[in-house]
Amino acid sequence: QALVVLRREVYTKFFALAPAGQEFFKQSTTRLHFLAEKVVTMTLDIYKEPRRMVEDISALGLRHVGYGIPTDLFGPYVTACVQVVRMLTDDDSAEEAFRWSLSLISRILTRVINEGSTLVMKAINSNSGKQLKKAVACAPRGKRALWMLNIQVGTQSISPLMWALETGSLDAAKSIIVDLLTIRADRDRYYFGMDILFERHPDVLKRLCLEAPALMPTLLDGLIWR
């Protein structure tokens, strides 16, 4: 019964505290209830298995980078959850334990999102090839390809290219492929992103065939220089 109340009330209070949050919680009621239950489970698991949970939360945070979730919504969400728990119990210790663990989860998510919100990911969220070109223009030549293929926060990583494909940001994905397969040079060496592309994503041809077949000519045109 308490869980039913928590699932229902947490969003009522959260939307009252942060009306902008409604733009990011457009899922079905069933899905929202599942998320609320998951939050409660995480607050317990972080006491039981802190090391595993930090990794899981970091992975979750990187996915939120791709969703473009503003970090300033975490504070009101934590407040809403704590207010609901306060309604359901008179045990101050239980309430404090819940508040502490949920606040810790919020801080981890905020750190991961802030570190992972690169200019490249922001360009992908906007599905803008033009923004993506500007984002990688300031990258050192030796790091340019990695900016588009790997974002690492702690032990977790996400691929901007694969995220662009999964979310349908095909304009940004095309710009990434074109940039990776453009030959560049400085006084010391030439740079061509084919090797690092296939090292990071050996299945890139399969993924393109399944998720973005329209980009296959772009990839093959770039590989002709091989």
Side-chain angles (χ1 to χ4, degrees):
Q1 183 66 31
L3 189 57
V4 172
V5 173
L6 186 145
R7 293 186 311 185
R8 182 181 67 248
E9 292 297 326
V10 68
Y11 293 105
T12 301
K13 291 186 177 295
F14 172 59
F15 294 148
L17 291 168
Q22 297 181 67
E23 295 299 316
F24 300 93
F25 284 92
K26 296 180 178 179
Q27 301 94 332
S28 66
T29 301
T30 302
R31 178 64 178 172
L32 293 179
H33 287 179
F34 168 79
L35 293 175
E37 288 184 30
K38 187 68 175 176
V39 168
V40 174
T41 302
M42 290 171 68
T43 61
L44 296 172
D45 287 347
I46 201 164
Y47 285 107
K48 299 175 183 176
E49 301 178 83
R51 184 170 296 182
R52 178 184 67 82
M53 283 304 298
V54 167
E55 292 192 3
D56 290 351
I57 294 166
S58 296
L60 178 65
L62 281 176
R63 289 199 295 276
H64 277 70
V65 170
Y67 299 140
I69 305 294
T71 55
D72 55 7
L73 292 177
F74 287 118
Y77 190 84
V78 171
T79 300
C81 290
V82 173
Q83 287 178 356
V84 174
V85 168
R86 188 176 297 137
M87 292 166 44
L88 299 174
T89 181
D90 295 325
D91 188 334
D92 292 340
S93 296
E95 180 191 329
E96 176 60 21
F98 179 80
R99 184 202 61 77
W100 183 87
S101 60
L102 189 56
S103 295
L104 178 60
I105 291 169
S106 173
R107 290 196 297 273
I108 295 172
L109 286 172
T110 299
R111 177 183 64 83
V112 171
I113 290 172
N114 287 338
E115 291 182 16
S117 293
T118 64
L119 294 174
V120 170
M121 288 300 287
K122 290 176 181 177
I124 291 171
N125 289 339
S126 301
N127 191 22
S128 171
K130 186 176 181 180
Q131 283 185 34
L132 194 133
K133 290 175 186 176
K134 288 182 179 179
V136 296
C138 55
R141 282 199 177 93
K143 300 286 186 182
R144 189 178 182 115
L146 280 176
W147 279 31
M148 296 178 282
L149 292 174
N150 190 58
I151 294 175
Q152 185 89 25
V153 179
T155 59
Q156 301 296 320
S157 65
I158 190 173
S159 167
L161 173 59
M162 288 300 119
W163 185 259
L165 294 178
E166 290 170 13
T167 57
S169 300
L170 299 188
D171 189 33
K174 181 176 182 178
S175 293
I176 290 175
I177 294 171
V178 169
D179 197 281
L180 286 171
L181 300 179
T182 298
I183 298 174
R184 294 180 175 85
D186 56 26
R187 291 185 179 184
D188 296 323
R189 55 171 291 187
Y190 289 96
Y191 299 91
F192 183 53
M194 184 200 71
D195 288 340
I196 192 170
L197 170 61
F198 281 92
E199 179 183 330
R200 180 75 171 95
H201 299 298
D203 62 342
V204 64
L205 287 168
K206 180 180 178 181
R207 295 290 295 274
L208 282 178
C209 286
L210 293 174
E211 299 182 35
L215 295 182
M216 281 297 294
T218 303
L219 179 69
L220 296 176
D221 284 348
L223 293 178
I224 197 171
W225 300 111
R226 176 70 174 83

